[in-house]
Amino acid sequence: MTIRVRQQPRSRRRIALRTGVPLVTLALAVTGCGASVAPGAPAGSPRSPAASHGSRTLGAGSALPSPTSTDAAPVTASTVPSATAATCTDRYLSGMTTAQRVGQLLMGGISAAQPDQAQLRTLRDNHVGSVMLTGRSTAGTTATRKLVDGFRGQADQVAGRRVGLLVATDQEGGRVQVLSGPGFSAMPSGLTQGGWPTATLRTQAAEWARQLKAAGVDLNLAPVADVVPAALGTRNIPIGSFQREYGHTADTVTSHTSAFAAGFAQSGVMTTLKHFPGLGQVIGNTDTTANVVDSVTTADSGSLAPFRAGIRAGSPFVMVSSATYTKIDPKYLAAFSPTVIDHLLRSQLGFKGVVISDDLGNAVAVRSFTPAQRAVNFIAAGGDMILTVRPSTVPAMAQGIQARMQQDASFRAKVNDSVRRILDAKHNAGQLDCG
């Protein structure tokens, strides 16, 4: 994602839906505080949408009230499910209600330091299947694991089997590091990491991943695969101004994103290549600016090399940007473009994993669209998982998707395909009970 301050945790308690299916409940015990980094985030943090959420916080133990290989070739979990995984995934999928399937398409932001009960209730009531810890927490690995464990046990169930939650965060380094404190290393910026030998970066990345795993995090929304030309440098607001890039050439970015991903795979934490097809050539930040345009990148640009290499190595997630690429598809934002997602990313580059959006909840780039339009447009274009750092947008997004499913059989098929890919990723993360 482009940089931003994200924040948000969860609470405990299972409850039954109107349909009789248990809803996702989130219980959080948080001890840290801070403001996290996100694209476009103010005060020294690149990402900052969720920072303003949530006036109410949960204390420790509080619960929600019931509602009515090589450095250049990361060794990642295969994005093609095994026969066992496919059987397991199909078992879960066939038992899900429509509302549960739609919930799997959503990742909601929750403050890692200041969870808000109303936001947690919104995620639970809409069966949201993935959570992003946002903002900044200095609580450390033990406290973070406590809060993550608190809400994992309250996930939806299908035929008596829990549909595990996928827990993600932004842990790039430098000004984009959501989780810190005891047990977490201070990670340097991407530009600093890009100056290290790839073997060193892979070793360090494996340690950073072990720390996230100890904290209960399955997915890192990193590494940044964007190539920022030296001539543009810090004038590139979403990446260069925060030194999030690994370097100024495709070769350097390719070798170092690969090393970072390989280290994480070694420690069993999934990674996300972002922000396809690249934010290195833009000036504006899609989190804080509308009409961000890249008039340079083509479907054959050398700056796509880091994405190609990561996809060949089995990257499980790719994040799509919300800029417009006039030489690829001048009509639609990348996140809403079948040309970018279905044709370029899926067909030409051969990506078979989960396509996740950049923030579609708070980003200025998508504010001219209603939340329902954002969600429907992304899924229709071939996307799988909708990230929103603003949980209040979730009900409208879920309702919009369900309404389109009732009207359009081809859209309904896209939803089912996306849910399968997401469940496969959860299976690879050990979050499905396939016994």
Side-chain angles (χ1 to χ4, degrees):
M1 310 144 116
T2 52
I3 321 181
R4 260 181 126 98
V5 190
R6 311 182 178 191
Q7 328 170 332
Q8 314 167 24
R10 294 193 171 196
S11 161
R12 293 188 170 188
R13 271 190 100 182
R14 187 199 308 176
I15 87 175
L17 276 180
R18 295 167 235 175
T19 61
V21 182
L23 288 171
V24 177
T25 57
L26 313 174
L28 287 169
V30 180
T31 57
C33 64
S36 122
V37 192
S45 73
R47 204 180 244 275
S48 152
S52 60
H53 295 332
S55 51
R56 291 185 295 172
T57 60
L58 299 178
S62 359
L64 271 182
S66 295
T68 327
S69 227
T70 66
D71 296 324
V75 182
T76 57
S78 173
T79 54
V80 181
S82 64
T84 301
T87 300
C88 179
T89 294
D90 288 340
R91 186 188 311 147
Y92 272 92
L93 182 62
S94 63
M96 285 181 167
T97 65
T98 297
Q100 286 181 312
R101 293 185 188 201
V102 172
Q104 291 300 307
L105 305 179
L106 295 161
M107 175 180 281
I110 291 294
S111 170
Q114 298 178 333
D116 177 271
Q117 293 189 36
Q119 293 175 349
L120 298 175
R121 183 180 296 112
T122 295
L123 298 188
R124 176 197 60 208
D125 289 353
N126 288 276
H127 308 274
V128 171
S130 299
V131 175
M132 177 186 177
L133 301 179
T134 66
R136 278 187 181 171
S137 168
T138 57
T141 55
T142 300
T144 302
R145 181 58 179 260
K146 184 178 180 181
L147 77 84
V148 169
D149 285 348
F151 58 77
R152 275 200 192 282
Q154 305 306 315
D156 268 13
Q157 290 193 16
V158 172
R161 295 174 184 266
R162 192 168 289 138
V163 187
L165 296 172
L166 200 63
V167 179
T169 197
D170 254 348
Q171 204 83 339
E172 298 174 16
R175 293 165 71 183
V176 188
Q177 181 173 347
V178 170
L179 303 175
S180 61
F184 287 112
S185 301
M187 299 169 63
S189 70
L191 201 56
T192 297
Q193 293 175 37
W196 293 350
T198 54
T200 299
L201 178 55
R202 178 171 176 164
T203 298
Q204 289 296 311
E207 176 56 27
W208 298 331
R210 281 191 289 272
Q211 295 166 3
L212 283 182
K213 196 172 185 68
V217 175
D218 308 298
L219 172 66
N220 191 3
L221 299 177
V224 171
D226 307 317
V227 180
V228 180
L232 192 55
T234 57
R235 290 188 298 121
N236 172 261
I237 303 302
I239 310 299
S241 68
F242 297 103
Q243 298 189 334
R244 299 171 71 195
E245 73 274 29
Y246 286 102
H248 303 299
T249 67
D251 286 348
T252 296
V253 176
T254 298
S255 61
H256 286 72
T257 53
S258 294
F260 185 96
F264 268 73
Q266 179 181 321
S267 296
V269 176
M270 295 184 292
T271 50
T272 308
L273 293 170
K274 63 184 186 185
H275 311 80
F276 188 82
L279 283 175
Q281 293 283 359
V282 305
I283 298 296
N285 184 340
T286 55
D287 285 319
T288 58
T289 308
N291 304 314
V292 175
V293 174
D294 175 334
S295 58
V296 176
T297 303
T298 70
D300 300 312
S301 288
S303 59
L304 294 183
F307 294 102
R308 285 197 178 90
I311 289 167
R312 282 199 304 270
S315 179
F317 283 72
V318 170
M319 179 180 287
V320 178
S321 90
S322 296
T324 299
Y325 297 80
T326 59
K327 291 190 175 179
I328 299 175
D329 183 354
K331 187 175 180 182
Y332 298 111
L333 303 182
F336 302 154
S337 169
T339 300
V340 170
I341 299 176
D342 264 345
H343 181 65
L344 179 56
L345 181 56
R346 293 284 191 207
S347 298
Q348 288 190 225
L349 273 65
F351 182 60
K352 300 183 185 304
V354 177
V355 176
I356 184 172
S357 72
D358 202 342
D359 173 44
L360 296 183
N362 199 56
V364 173
V366 296
R367 283 195 186 165
S368 62
F369 300 88
T370 66
Q373 288 171 334
R374 299 169 204 171
V376 169
N377 289 349
F378 179 67
I379 299 300
D384 301 309
M385 184 177 285
I386 300 153
L387 170 62
T388 173
V389 299
R390 180 176 285 176
S392 62
T393 63
V394 164
M397 288 179 168
Q399 290 161 16
I401 292 171
Q402 289 192 53
R404 179 60 66 87
M405 289 175 71
Q406 292 175 346
Q407 303 163 359
D408 185 339
S410 64
F411 183 84
R412 192 160 58 246
K414 283 179 178 287
V415 168
N416 289 332
D417 287 344
S418 291
V419 175
R420 280 193 185 89
R421 281 188 282 263
I422 291 165
L423 291 176
D424 286 339
K426 288 188 173 187
H427 178 270
N428 290 336
Q431 295 303 330
L432 295 186
D433 177 7
C434 296

